Amino acid sequence: MQDLDPQGLLKDVLAQMAHTPDPRLRQVTEAAIRHLHGFAQEVRLTPDEWLAGIAFLTAVGQACTPYRQEFILLSDVLGLSRLVNLMHDAEGREAAGTETSLLGPFFREKAPAFPLGGSIAVHKTGGEEICLFGQVTDAAGRPVPHAWIDIWQTDAEGLYDLQANDASVMDMRGRFQADAEGRYHLRTVKPIGYSIPMDGPVGAFVHRQNRHGKRPAHIHVLVAAEEHRELVTALYFADDPNIDSDTVFGVSASLVVEAAMGVPGTPRPDLPSLRYDFRLSRRAAGETGGRVGADPSQILPAAE
């Protein structure tokens, strides 16, 4: 036994974990430990500061429910979710494929299915009705038949259904199946920008950083089809004042859109419309999913 300095301590910690059977777990854990020890030394972390950090992470976990995922929100506001997205894109998104964006903490599995042309605004119908239409193709522009498209967004007041009084009722979300030519169209209400939840530990953290905590108006989209990469993305409205300062760093120029009257090819010329064609990349053999996020109930199920 010998007294340890910081470098000796790190060496001993890594040595104890060197026989981890899973090579990927060993690689990730060793890298995390090296960076955590380096971080603590760089900032000269004090005991009180580390206890405050532990208290913060504990509060983040305690804020999670089957309808709220505070850890995903933390990952988003730190830019980590976006970083993982960018790295996943770099590994397999084809150059002409649609860029990804964040799944976020408000996605839900098994959203209600609607026929093409239907509206996802069922329970809350305020706001300006718009038409979203386009085509799902592969990266070369060939139609992808019968792709499934999940859509979810806030209502006209800037709230998701998970933030409503009865979070078990789904609204402002739905599933649509494109036709044999990959074409789709649906109706919704134009979303507005909104604040991330500021009533929990992540909101308090963002407030202390003097950040506005706002997300520009957007519509979340998830597109799935056999033999193609699942596409997780979002469409951001150009007229939102926070389009250039998204708190969770989700905006890319290719995903910025506008709804207008007289859009060529719209199936609803009576409504402001926007056309967006989703281009799917091919899925490589053995490729894992690209979702940085999940339905909160899949991470922390409700008690039976």
Side-chain angles (χ1 to χ4, degrees):
M1 180 182 293
Q2 61 180 354
D3 293 333
L4 296 176
D5 60 14
Q7 292 307 312
L9 172 62
L10 175 59
K11 181 179 178 181
D12 277 11
V13 173
L14 294 177
Q16 286 201 18
M17 301 180 182
H19 302 292
T20 303
D22 184 327
R24 178 60 175 168
L25 175 61
R26 183 171 64 251
Q27 179 188 20
V28 171
T29 303
E30 288 178 351
I33 290 168
R34 286 196 301 271
H35 285 284
L36 283 169
H37 280 235
F39 151 73
Q41 291 186 70
E42 178 183 340
V43 301
R44 307 302 300 171
L45 194 65
T46 69
D48 285 346
E49 289 168 341
W50 182 224
L51 285 174
I54 290 173
F56 170 71
L57 293 174
T58 300
V60 170
Q62 290 171 336
C64 295
T65 75
Y67 298 114
R68 177 168 181 162
Q69 234 311 313
E70 196 81 355
F71 263 112
I72 292 177
L73 183 62
L74 177 60
S75 174
D76 290 352
V77 303
L78 294 177
L80 186 58
S81 298
R82 183 60 171 155
L83 174 60
V84 174
N85 267 140
L86 290 171
M87 292 188 296
H88 182 69
D89 271 8
E91 287 183 353
R93 181 175 68 85
E94 296 177 71
T98 299
E99 288 192 78
T100 64
S101 190
L102 304 180
L103 190 82
F106 297 108
F107 172 70
R108 304 180 79 170
E109 301 282 0
K110 300 179 180 179
F114 294 97
L116 292 175
S119 174
I120 64 172
V122 177
H123 300 286
K124 290 189 176 181
T125 56
E128 179 185 23
E129 188 175 34
I130 62 173
C131 173
L132 171 61
F133 74 104
Q135 188 177 30
V136 180
T137 73
D138 64 15
R142 295 181 293 258
V144 175
H146 309 302
W148 279 100
I149 305 169
D150 271 82
I151 301 284
W152 68 103
Q153 64 172 81
T154 60
D155 59 24
E157 298 172 354
L159 295 174
Y160 288 92
D161 54 7
L162 285 169
Q163 298 171 300
N165 292 330
D166 185 357
S168 66
V169 177
M170 291 194 186
D171 195 24
M172 301 306 301
R173 66 179 72 234
R175 304 188 77 216
F176 297 83
Q177 189 170 29
D179 68 15
E181 294 299 318
R183 295 170 300 202
Y184 75 93
H185 68 284
L186 60 100
R187 289 174 293 128
T188 183
V189 296
K190 184 178 179 181
I192 63 172
Y194 63 91
S195 172
I196 64 167
M198 297 293 283
D199 59 341
V202 174
F205 173 68
V206 169
H207 180 72
R208 288 191 65 183
Q209 294 176 321
N210 200 28
R211 296 163 65 182
H212 58 57
K214 298 292 182 68
R215 296 219 63 202
H218 60 279
I219 298 173
H220 287 280
V221 184
L222 186 153
V223 187
E226 290 187 6
E227 300 181 359
H228 295 83
R229 270 191 158 204
E230 185 179 64
L231 173 64
V232 178
T233 193
L235 304 179
Y236 295 88
F237 285 79
D239 59 355
D240 191 284
N242 297 307
I243 193 69
D244 293 319
S245 59
D246 182 7
T247 295
V248 303
F249 315 101
V251 181
S252 296
S254 67
L255 302 177
V256 176
V257 298
E258 293 184 81
M261 297 297 295
V263 175
T266 177
R268 291 297 304 266
D270 58 317
L271 295 176
S273 300
L274 69 90
R275 174 170 185 157
Y276 202 92
D277 297 333
F278 298 103
R279 292 197 164 200
L280 304 184
S281 298
R282 289 167 294 185
R283 185 175 60 220
E287 183 177 348
T288 58
R291 300 184 185 185
V292 185
D295 182 332
S297 68
Q298 304 301 302
I299 297 177
L300 185 64
E304 295 292 337

